Amino acid sequence: MSEQADQRAQPTDEERVEMLETMLRIREFESRMRDNFADAEIPGFLHLYIGQEAMATGVCQVLEDRDYLTSTHRGHGHCIARGLDTTKMAAEIYGKETGYCNGKGGSMHIADVEAGMLGANGIVAGGVPIATGAALSSKMRGTDQVAVAFFGDGALSEGAFHESFNQAAIWDLPLIGIVENNQYGEMSGIDEQHPPSTHDDLTIYGEPYGAHREQVDGMDVEAVYDAAARAVERARHGEGPSLVECVGYRFEGHHEGDSEFYRDDGEYEHWKSKDPVETYPERLIDEGVLTADEWAAMQADVETEIDEAIEFARESPMPDPQQAYEGLYADGGDSR
Amino acid sequence: MSEQADQRAQPTDEERVEMLETMLRIREFESRMRDNFADAEIPGFLHLYIGQEAMATGVCQVLEDRDYLTSTHRGHGHCIARGLDTTKMAAEIYGKETGYCNGKGGSMHIADVEAGMLGANGIVAGGVPIATGAALSSKMRGTDQVAVAFFGDGALSEGAFHESFNQAAIWDLPLIGIVENNQYGEMSGIDEQHPPSTHDDLTIYGEPYGAHREQVDGMDVEAVYDAAARAVERARHGEGPSLVECVGYRFEGHHEGDSEFYRDDGEYEHWKSKDPVETYPERLIDEGVLTADEWAAMQADVETEIDEAIEFARESPMPDPQQAYEGLYADGGDSR
Amino acid sequence: MSLASRETEEMAVRDVINQTLDEEMERDERVYIQGIDVHGRGGTSNILKGLDEKYGRERVRNTPISEVSIVGSALGAAATGMRPVVEIMYCGFLGVAGDQLLNQVAKMRYMFGGKLDLPLVIRTKNVMGANAAAQHSQALHHWLAAIPGLKVVCTSTPEDTKGLFKAAIRSNDPIMLFEHGSVYNETGQVPVEDYTFEIGEAAVEREGEDVTVVATQAQLWNALEAAEQLGEEGISVEVVNPRTISPLDTETIAASARKTGRCVVVDDTPLSYGTQSQIAADVSEEAFFDLDFPVQRLGIPDVPTPFSPSLENEILIDTDDIVDAILTLA
Amino acid sequence: MSLASRETEEMAVRDVINQTLDEEMERDERVYIQGIDVHGRGGTSNILKGLDEKYGRERVRNTPISEVSIVGSALGAAATGMRPVVEIMYCGFLGVAGDQLLNQVAKMRYMFGGKLDLPLVIRTKNVMGANAAAQHSQALHHWLAAIPGLKVVCTSTPEDTKGLFKAAIRSNDPIMLFEHGSVYNETGQVPVEDYTFEIGEAAVEREGEDVTVVATQAQLWNALEAAEQLGEEGISVEVVNPRTISPLDTETIAASARKTGRCVVVDDTPLSYGTQSQIAADVSEEAFFDLDFPVQRLGIPDVPTPFSPSLENEILIDTDDIVDAILTLA
Ligand SMILES: Cc1ncc(C[n+]2csc(CCOP(=O)(O)OP(=O)(O)O)c2C)c(N)n1
Ligand SMILES: Cc1ncc(C[n+]2csc(CCOP(=O)(O)OP(=O)(O)O)c2C)c(N)n1
Ligand SMILES: [Mg+2]
Ligand SMILES: [Mg+2]
């Protein structure tokens, strides 16, 4: 069983509004990407974060700018929660020169290493060792930066996760693993991908390593915030790795175009009733943190922002084909 | 914490004598290999099992001929306990035509697939997925064969172990992992190679998978027998994977030639007092299972057997150099 | 065996794979499938669709996302009486199982004295031109061919897909079977009867006199198109499909080059250490005294695959590139 | 820069590596070491001996037996301000970290738009001729060179070891540094001063007129010996050491082949898809009109390394094999 929180970390009202805006920004960005992908504006694959907004948002809210994170194939939400610029993100997803990776990465590989965002990653669990290295680096350089690895439930079956957590535990590294349990790895349910011993609580995968473990409602941004705050606090104080499971759901297919044949009856509706982008504004309005007008204004603002980001992406130039030969090495040697 | 045995599996007196003989055979074989290696008779590396005899012996005693096993770089003990022919083993270690692999494998790769011995393996944890596949095959073919993967404490840090146990747990495979905790991975102690959460009980690495777990005294062949019997019983009845830790010690270096600088004062003596090849015959004599004369005769017989095996190895021809080009493929296509 | 004499039907590559697996599973109950997400939609390219329903989920096994164990457990199963057909969704994921491929699958038989059969097929796909970016877009058959002990087969046409798949599944050796995402929907005539193509034999797909083009997978389709175009201009192009790239049928390839005196090699692996270089080195040696020009290599420049269409198109080889390469030798 | 003009000392390769790492750790506190069992005896070949005591166990880090995490965490550290030097004990263990090498280390910079430095050195050793059997005995630099995005360096002499190590550690790119177990105890003159050799530049180790031998690592020593022997018989052999095999200095190598008109390539990788084939293909193309004979390739036949001395000796290349290959071109 996961450890219980002894003291709840509570976001300020300002932070609560900020988190709402972040979740809304992710939702709006993703929804527009979905539509534009359907209109064949976007090349390649698209894995959307819709439904999981509370996870990245709650975690990133407690991080400092100097902290590190690694992400997955489903990375837009992590980027936005981290504060990356939706304009450069959109441009990257459109394959444009003005994107974060100058069009070389696309949706699955957005990165802003300067900002501590060490990259989305197309390989399941591929980012966990990298985050472990960032945590090691922080420790060796004597800073108190922490490193967060986001990954899906599926990544817990990859050796890379285990090797990393084992190493982080031996070396007491400030590594935080966020398991985003959205009930599926591609089209296969967690019950098919993990043994029964884990179904109630995937953080049991962190048990051998003595990781601090918590399982939280991944549709509740404040629950995520709370667990993340504790994990980050521990990491900053040299208390070693944590594993936090956010239990939630994705409302879109594994990737756009997925027929979603695998969902059980009523499953979608059940989770949809917990949709954080629906429930959280209601709650904040109920609790008097936000007025309905402010919420409407926020929606309008975010919509405008994303409109502009997409306009920018559309109008940006494709990279010059010759750039394909550049960027491989820092010290020259780009070859034939 | 490891599960407690509810009922102890007790070897018959015949089996006890058999186990003693097996341990003695391993010790004698290994000691002679050590000496002959020092005399530069043996090419390559040599990793000896001396001190760990009770582990392989106790486990293999409860296996049936049709069961499978995979082994490690420290594999002679597993082979002998499985009943492989010391003559062909010695010949293989000497690189001779008459060896199990016709000289192609050597000490680190002895195999007798016909006999269910799926090979020693030079890659730490490399054999665990293979044993998992043998367990799967047994299940799919509807036999009740079990598969035992022997591996060292060090292998628990490799992703291969974790992926295999996870898969075996999901599919309820008859897989048994035997962790041979000899206190070191090469020259580094387990405290440097594993997090503190595991030091008391390495079987915690099997906890996420819901594996049946037991930790036993690896210097006590009957304790090993007991735990193995339970694990095998479960596996045969479709109750899924088990992880058994045998706590013990190796009396030789990691490999022959190792300076053994890393041992603590008194450590060797402590473990030496539990030497199964010293203590077990005493016990059997005390308990009247064996007479001192029978023990002396057994020693003489085994010595003769090993003498003959080594003589055979020495006198066997080196493989014809042209055989280097053969054996790669079953269906032809051996190439340039 | 020419197509002309046999009953054939028009099929897409993807359907050929499905049908062939179906027939082989029907024929031999030891043949089974394992891989990620092979149930339901039938794997990442829907190739396996329907097989789980027909043969049950014990013979079409959904694995966890664990490539080490997927490959390693298939190896163990192959060593103990089963005949696994593994799906690795994208060839880029082969690296996760790197050790099992390099040190276990490839070495087990030889290292153990040649004493066991390893009837193991690992299917995967090369992907180029799908804007799938660096980790999901690459061709890696050269990387596996660089490991002695793995036979590496590249499928291309509906006809060779059937013949090579059947041969691979019936083989007692471990075989890496590379499909190519760009040809799944290509169609062609496929003999209805049961047949196998010898692993290790190349095929002359089109006869010609002036220049030899050696081309694999998607590039074979481009090469045949280039040959067609140049034929109209009076240049006679012979097109050779290696089919197996390890062991390579150097004899057939070099014989063609000796005949024409000119050779272009086209493949989706990188220009450095790719398949092209191996074939070019072999042809340069074996046809040395007959070559009029240096062997030309067309391949992907030595960079990971960029995402943006404008960048990816720049590095891809198309029919025009092949035509141009041939013309430089004229 | 010729040796003649500089102060030198006689050193063994193993001591050069130790001293160079020592100097670089002294010079730059971001440089640190991680690997299995690097404490105490100093790694599997004792190369690192003493560094843990001098720099402490925080900068010389013993890892668990976890190659994925060893390589991946070094990558993460390199991306965030450190300059890791990783030891992978035997090159055969690189497969365990296959994905981190193939998809992470090699692709990170390019995929992210060329916007970060990755000062990461992964040291490992090729082993042949030690009766270490298939999994511990192989040369794998060709396998890493087949991945665009990794620079691959092969060290051989005491002099190049120092120059290449210093260059690699100071480089901002990920570098695979292949040592060779057979030359650790070889000695030679090493300049005392601080110097680097350019990554990507080959060196003519011995000038000659009649034939070019391109040789790496242990084979360079054999090639120089062969050249010496043949020199006495009046055959003048030029010996080129590629030093970096990716990117390859085709220019220097082909220039030598154009000059001599004959070329032999010798390397410990397999004959199929090995380093030899890449170099032979390049030379065959670049020196096409100047070559009198086909390029000869000497390498390991396409089998895993067998254990028995009689078998391993059969597949190894020695000085006599090089002499014979040169004489067939005479
Ligand atoms: C090593 C590897 N194997 C397989 C895949 C294909 N793949 C992409 S996403 C995915 C499912 C991942 O599931 P999970 O970790 O739960 O993340 P989610 O997609 O649910 O967010 C798979 C199998 C991959 N990208 N990398
Ligand atoms: C993948 C891999 N990494 C490293 C090694 C080198 N190595 C050989 S034995 C060994 C120690 C293994 O320790 P353990 O599993 O405890 O087995 P023991 O030697 O103690 O029996 C190591 C690191 C290897 N053989 N394979
Ligand atoms: Mg998921
Ligand atoms: Mg050990």
Side-chain angles (χ1 to χ4, degrees):
Chain A
M1 257 283 300
S2 297
E3 290 174 33
Q4 292 303 318
D6 17 338
Q7 219 181 326
R8 214 179 143 80
Q10 184 62 45
T12 63
D13 282 350
E14 204 183 328
E15 283 185 301
R16 298 172 83 191
V17 174
E18 231 173 280
M19 292 198 290
L20 174 61
E21 187 176 328
T22 299
M23 293 198 293
L24 177 65
R25 182 173 291 111
I26 297 172
R27 176 66 55 93
E28 185 66 24
F29 184 86
E30 294 276 78
S31 305
R32 294 294 300 278
M33 288 301 151
R34 176 193 54 207
D35 298 344
N36 297 348
F37 184 85
D39 289 347
E41 274 189 24
I42 295 173
F45 302 126
L46 208 59
H47 303 89
L48 298 180
Y49 201 67
I50 292 178
Q52 301 182 219
E53 291 87 350
M55 304 177 186
T57 301
V59 172
C60 290
Q61 188 69 35
V62 303
L63 296 181
E64 317 250 335
D65 282 352
R66 67 185 191 284
D67 293 329
Y68 298 110
L69 62 153
T70 62
S71 166
T72 66
H73 57 289
R74 197 179 301 292
H76 305 163
H78 311 129
C79 292
I80 293 177
R82 174 58 174 196
L84 265 62
D85 180 350
T86 47
T87 304
K88 289 201 224 169
M89 283 178 61
E92 187 58 37
I93 292 166
Y94 274 71
K96 298 303 180 71
E97 155 89 61
T98 51
Y100 269 108
C101 312
N102 306 135
K104 290 212 175 85
S107 163
M108 247 190 303
H109 305 295
I110 298 177
D112 185 2
V113 176
E114 284 281 282
M117 163 58 198
L118 303 179
N121 206 310
I123 300 297
V124 171
V128 190
I130 298 171
T132 305
L136 169 62
S137 160
S138 155
K139 188 173 179 189
M140 291 190 75
R141 288 180 289 103
T143 65
D144 64 355
Q145 296 160 285
V146 309
V148 174
F150 287 97
F151 45 85
D153 41 281
L156 296 165
S157 301
E158 290 281 12
F161 160 78
H162 292 277
E163 294 193 15
S164 297
F165 263 72
N166 190 53
Q167 185 172 317
I170 301 171
W171 290 354
D172 250 331
L173 302 181
L175 175 68
I176 297 157
I178 306 292
V179 185
E180 304 187 321
N181 176 0
N182 60 6
Q183 312 302 325
Y184 292 96
E186 296 214 336
M187 289 91 199
S188 304
I190 53 164
D191 52 326
E192 236 185 310
Q193 303 228 338
H194 301 281
S197 44
T198 67
H199 294 173
D200 286 346
D201 182 357
L202 290 172
T203 71
I204 196 173
Y205 279 106
E207 179 67 10
Y209 316 115
H212 168 76
R213 298 164 46 199
E214 294 200 35
Q215 187 187 44
V216 297
D217 179 353
M219 309 301 268
D220 176 350
V221 73
E222 297 193 11
V224 175
Y225 177 100
D226 169 50
R230 224 164 3 258
V232 167
E233 188 70 6
R234 294 178 62 98
R236 269 206 222 295
H237 292 90
E239 293 170 55
S242 296
L243 190 62
V244 176
E245 177 187 359
C246 301
V247 183
Y249 200 68
R250 60 167 158 70
F251 295 149
E252 290 292 306
H254 168 61
H255 51 56
E256 291 311 286
D258 170 4
S259 71
E260 302 176 47
F261 64 87
Y262 46 83
R263 298 201 201 266
D264 280 342
D265 267 0
E267 189 182 282
Y268 181 87
E269 294 69 22
H270 164 74
W271 287 100
K272 188 65 187 159
S273 72
K274 299 169 181 276
D275 183 347
V277 181
E278 303 275 336
T279 57
Y280 199 53
E282 279 170 23
R283 176 167 160 195
L284 293 193
I285 292 169
D286 274 3
E287 295 184 16
V289 179
L290 191 77
T291 66
D293 284 351
E294 284 167 337
W295 169 229
M298 186 190 285
Q299 288 176 290
D301 287 353
V302 168
E303 203 173 308
T304 307
E305 177 195 324
I306 304 301
D307 271 345
E308 286 171 6
I310 288 173
E311 245 352 86
F312 176 82
R314 285 183 178 140
E315 280 165 20
S316 287
M318 280 287 176
D320 180 329
Q322 290 308 306
Q323 287 181 15
Y325 306 101
E326 288 161 24
L328 188 59
Y329 294 122
D331 297 342
D334 293 10
S335 39
R336 47 178 110 213
Chain B
M1 257 281 300
S2 297
E3 290 173 33
Q4 292 303 318
D6 13 341
Q7 219 180 325
R8 215 178 143 79
Q10 184 63 43
T12 63
D13 282 351
E14 204 184 328
E15 284 186 301
R16 298 171 84 189
V17 173
E18 229 172 282
M19 293 199 289
L20 173 61
E21 186 177 328
T22 300
M23 295 199 292
L24 177 65
R25 182 173 292 114
I26 298 172
R27 176 67 55 93
E28 185 66 23
F29 184 86
E30 294 271 82
S31 305
R32 295 293 300 278
M33 288 301 151
R34 175 193 56 208
D35 298 344
N36 297 349
F37 184 85
D39 289 347
E41 274 188 25
I42 295 172
F45 302 127
L46 209 58
H47 302 89
L48 298 180
Y49 201 66
I50 291 178
Q52 301 182 218
E53 291 86 349
M55 304 177 185
T57 300
V59 172
C60 290
Q61 188 69 36
V62 303
L63 295 182
E64 317 251 335
D65 281 353
R66 68 185 191 283
D67 295 327
Y68 297 109
L69 62 153
T70 62
S71 166
T72 67
H73 57 287
R74 198 178 300 290
H76 307 164
H78 310 129
C79 293
I80 291 176
R82 174 58 175 194
L84 265 63
D85 178 352
T86 47
T87 304
K88 289 201 223 169
M89 284 179 60
E92 187 58 37
I93 293 167
Y94 274 70
K96 298 301 179 72
E97 155 89 59
T98 49
Y100 269 110
C101 313
N102 305 135
K104 290 214 175 83
S107 163
M108 247 189 303
H109 306 297
I110 297 177
D112 185 3
V113 175
E114 284 280 284
M117 163 60 196
L118 303 178
N121 207 309
I123 300 297
V124 171
V128 191
I130 298 170
T132 304
L136 169 62
S137 160
S138 153
K139 188 174 179 186
M140 290 189 76
R141 288 180 289 104
T143 64
D144 64 354
Q145 295 160 287
V146 309
V148 174
F150 287 96
F151 45 86
D153 42 281
L156 296 166
S157 300
E158 290 281 13
F161 160 78
H162 292 277
E163 294 193 15
S164 296
F165 263 74
N166 191 52
Q167 185 173 315
I170 301 171
W171 291 354
D172 250 331
L173 301 182
L175 175 69
I176 298 157
I178 305 294
V179 185
E180 304 186 319
N181 176 359
N182 60 6
Q183 312 303 325
Y184 292 96
E186 295 214 336
M187 289 90 199
S188 303
I190 54 164
D191 52 326
E192 237 186 309
Q193 302 228 339
H194 301 281
S197 43
T198 67
H199 294 174
D200 287 346
D201 182 357
L202 291 172
T203 70
I204 196 173
Y205 279 106
E207 178 67 10
Y209 316 115
H212 167 75
R213 297 165 46 200
E214 294 199 36
Q215 187 187 45
V216 297
D217 179 352
M219 309 302 267
D220 176 351
V221 71
E222 296 192 11
V224 175
Y225 177 98
D226 169 50
R230 222 162 8 257
V232 167
E233 188 70 5
R234 295 177 62 99
R236 272 208 219 295
H237 292 91
E239 293 169 54
S242 296
L243 191 61
V244 176
E245 177 186 2
C246 302
V247 183
Y249 199 67
R250 60 167 159 71
F251 295 148
E252 290 293 305
H254 167 61
H255 51 56
E256 291 311 286
D258 168 6
S259 72
E260 303 176 47
F261 64 88
Y262 45 84
R263 300 202 200 263
D264 280 344
D265 268 0
E267 189 182 281
Y268 180 88
E269 292 69 22
H270 164 74
W271 287 100
K272 188 64 188 159
S273 72
K274 299 170 181 277
D275 183 346
V277 181
E278 303 275 335
T279 57
Y280 198 52
E282 280 169 24
R283 177 168 159 194
L284 293 193
I285 292 169
D286 274 3
E287 294 185 16
V289 180
L290 192 77
T291 67
D293 283 351
E294 284 167 338
W295 169 229
M298 186 190 285
Q299 288 175 292
D301 286 352
V302 167
E303 204 173 308
T304 308
E305 175 195 327
I306 305 300
D307 271 346
E308 287 171 6
I310 288 174
E311 245 353 86
F312 176 80
R314 285 183 178 139
E315 281 165 19
S316 288
M318 280 287 177
D320 178 331
Q322 290 309 307
Q323 287 182 15
Y325 306 101
E326 288 160 25
L328 188 58
Y329 295 122
D331 298 341
D334 294 10
S335 41
R336 45 179 111 218
Chain C
M1 266 207 313
S2 93
L3 271 186
S5 60
R6 291 178 294 170
E7 194 194 335
T8 65
E9 63 182 318
E10 172 99 1
M11 286 182 82
V13 167
R14 62 166 60 253
D15 298 323
V16 172
I17 300 175
N18 184 286
Q19 190 193 67
T20 306
L21 284 167
D22 188 352
E23 288 173 10
E24 293 301 299
M25 289 182 78
E26 184 84 49
R27 194 185 51 75
D28 186 341
E29 65 176 16
R30 296 167 302 175
V31 176
Y32 80 97
I33 291 171
Q34 68 180 27
I36 296 170
D37 235 357
V38 293
H39 292 169
R41 64 171 177 163
T44 180
S45 300
N46 310 92
I47 298 287
L48 305 171
K49 201 159 172 64
L51 296 177
D52 58 337
E53 274 164 33
K54 180 155 178 197
Y55 296 101
R57 295 189 161 196
E58 284 288 309
R59 278 184 76 194
V60 179
R61 305 185 75 89
N62 245 14
T63 64
I65 309 176
S66 308
E67 283 79 3
V68 176
S69 181
I70 294 170
V71 171
S73 67
L75 174 62
T80 57
M82 299 300 293
R83 304 184 74 90
V85 178
V86 172
E87 171 167 304
I88 297 292
M89 316 176 81
Y90 287 79
C91 69
F93 309 160
L94 289 170
V96 184
D99 177 66
Q100 289 293 321
L101 295 164
L102 173 70
N103 282 319
Q104 314 299 340
V105 176
K107 291 175 181 161
M108 200 177 198
R109 185 175 202 277
Y110 183 85
M111 198 161 73
F112 293 172
K115 290 183 183 158
L116 76 162
D117 288 345
L118 291 172
L120 167 62
V121 174
I122 299 175
R123 293 175 50 231
T124 190
K125 65 169 181 278
N126 289 325
V127 173
M128 290 301 293
N131 306 128
Q135 294 173 337
H136 285 69
S137 186
Q138 55 200 317
L140 279 180
H141 43 284
H142 68 305
W143 203 50
L144 281 293
I147 304 172
L150 300 177
K151 291 185 175 176
V152 182
V153 170
C154 288
T155 61
S156 178
T157 68
E159 191 197 3
D160 72 29
T161 298
K162 178 169 174 178
L164 291 167
F165 257 77
K166 293 220 165 200
I169 294 170
R170 296 176 196 180
S171 164
N172 288 316
D173 290 315
I175 292 179
M176 301 292 318
L177 204 48
F178 280 85
E179 302 163 14
H180 194 298
S182 301
V183 305
Y184 280 142
N185 296 326
E186 298 286 348
T187 59
Q189 292 297 319
V190 185
V192 172
E193 66 177 21
D194 189 79
Y195 65 96
T196 59
F197 282 163
E198 187 87 9
I199 308 282
E201 272 184 23
V204 176
E205 300 277 354
R206 178 191 168 112
E207 301 204 353
E209 298 303 322
D210 298 333
V211 60
T212 296
V213 178
V214 184
T216 60
Q217 302 202 305
Q219 296 307 336
L220 175 64
W221 295 81
N222 289 342
L224 289 168
E225 203 178 300
E228 198 62 36
Q229 283 178 26
L230 289 167
E232 286 161 23
E233 296 175 31
I235 300 174
S236 163
V237 179
E238 178 145 310
V239 179
V240 182
N241 174 4
R243 288 186 181 161
T244 303
I245 66 137
S246 179
L248 200 57
D249 182 357
T250 305
E251 210 150 311
T252 301
I253 296 168
S256 174
R258 276 194 297 269
K259 180 178 83 173
T260 61
R262 285 147 213 224
C263 185
V264 176
V265 188
V266 204
D267 180 85
D268 276 348
T269 54
L271 280 170
S272 290
Y273 298 92
T275 314
Q276 306 85 334
S277 292
Q278 180 61 36
I279 296 174
D282 287 351
V283 169
S284 297
E285 179 168 353
E286 301 292 329
F288 185 81
F289 296 102
D290 297 294
L291 285 176
D292 300 323
F293 290 92
V295 178
Q296 299 297 302
R297 288 168 279 169
L298 295 180
I300 304 298
D302 297 336
V303 290
T305 308
F307 165 68
S308 178
S310 81
L311 301 172
E312 189 176 11
N313 289 342
E314 169 65 26
I315 66 162
L316 290 180
I317 310 145
D318 59 19
T319 304
D320 288 348
D321 295 325
I322 301 175
V323 168
D324 290 349
I326 293 171
L327 291 176
T328 63
L329 298 180
Chain D
M1 266 204 315
S2 92
L3 271 185
S5 59
R6 292 177 295 170
E7 193 195 335
T8 64
E9 62 183 318
E10 172 100 359
M11 285 182 83
V13 167
R14 62 166 58 253
D15 299 323
V16 173
I17 300 175
N18 185 286
Q19 189 192 69
T20 307
L21 284 167
D22 188 354
E23 287 174 12
E24 293 302 298
M25 289 182 78
E26 184 85 48
R27 195 185 52 75
D28 186 340
E29 63 176 17
R30 296 167 302 174
V31 177
Y32 81 97
I33 290 171
Q34 69 181 25
I36 295 169
D37 234 358
V38 294
H39 292 168
R41 63 172 177 163
T44 179
S45 300
N46 311 91
I47 298 286
L48 306 170
K49 200 158 173 68
L51 296 177
D52 59 336
E53 274 163 33
K54 180 155 177 197
Y55 295 102
R57 296 188 161 196
E58 283 289 308
R59 278 184 77 194
V60 179
R61 304 185 75 88
N62 247 12
T63 64
I65 310 176
S66 310
E67 283 79 4
V68 175
S69 182
I70 294 170
V71 171
S73 67
L75 174 63
T80 58
M82 300 300 293
R83 305 184 74 88
V85 178
V86 171
E87 171 167 305
I88 297 291
M89 316 174 83
Y90 287 79
C91 69
F93 309 160
L94 289 170
V96 185
D99 178 67
Q100 288 293 322
L101 296 164
L102 172 70
N103 281 318
Q104 314 299 340
V105 175
K107 291 175 180 160
M108 201 177 198
R109 185 175 201 277
Y110 183 84
M111 199 162 70
F112 294 173
K115 290 182 182 158
L116 76 162
D117 287 345
L118 291 173
L120 168 62
V121 175
I122 299 174
R123 293 175 50 231
T124 190
K125 62 168 182 278
N126 289 326
V127 173
M128 290 301 293
N131 307 126
Q135 294 174 336
H136 285 69
S137 185
Q138 55 199 317
L140 280 179
H141 45 284
H142 69 303
W143 202 51
L144 282 293
I147 304 172
L150 300 177
K151 291 185 175 176
V152 182
V153 170
C154 289
T155 60
S156 176
T157 67
E159 190 196 5
D160 72 29
T161 297
K162 178 168 174 178
L164 292 167
F165 256 78
K166 293 220 164 200
I169 294 170
R170 295 175 196 181
S171 164
N172 288 316
D173 290 315
I175 292 180
M176 300 294 317
L177 205 48
F178 280 85
E179 303 163 12
H180 195 298
S182 302
V183 305
Y184 279 142
N185 296 328
E186 297 286 347
T187 60
Q189 293 296 317
V190 185
V192 172
E193 67 178 21
D194 189 79
Y195 65 95
T196 59
F197 282 163
E198 188 86 11
I199 309 282
E201 273 183 23
V204 176
E205 300 277 354
R206 177 191 170 111
E207 301 203 353
E209 299 304 322
D210 299 331
V211 59
T212 296
V213 178
V214 184
T216 59
Q217 302 202 304
Q219 296 307 336
L220 175 64
W221 295 81
N222 289 341
L224 289 167
E225 204 178 300
E228 198 62 36
Q229 285 177 25
L230 289 167
E232 287 162 21
E233 298 175 30
I235 301 174
S236 163
V237 178
E238 178 145 309
V239 179
V240 183
N241 174 4
R243 286 186 181 161
T244 304
I245 66 136
S246 178
L248 199 57
D249 182 357
T250 306
E251 211 149 312
T252 301
I253 296 168
S256 175
R258 276 193 297 268
K259 181 178 84 174
T260 61
R262 284 149 214 224
C263 184
V264 176
V265 188
V266 204
D267 181 86
D268 276 348
T269 54
L271 280 171
S272 290
Y273 299 92
T275 313
Q276 306 86 332
S277 293
Q278 179 61 36
I279 295 174
D282 287 350
V283 169
S284 298
E285 178 168 353
E286 300 292 328
F288 185 80
F289 296 102
D290 297 294
L291 286 178
D292 300 323
F293 290 93
V295 178
Q296 298 298 300
R297 288 168 278 168
L298 295 179
I300 304 298
D302 296 337
V303 291
T305 308
F307 165 68
S308 177
S310 81
L311 300 173
E312 189 176 12
N313 289 342
E314 168 65 26
I315 67 162
L316 290 180
I317 309 146
D318 60 19
T319 303
D320 289 347
D321 294 325
I322 301 175
V323 168
D324 290 348
I326 293 171
L327 292 177
T328 64
L329 297 180

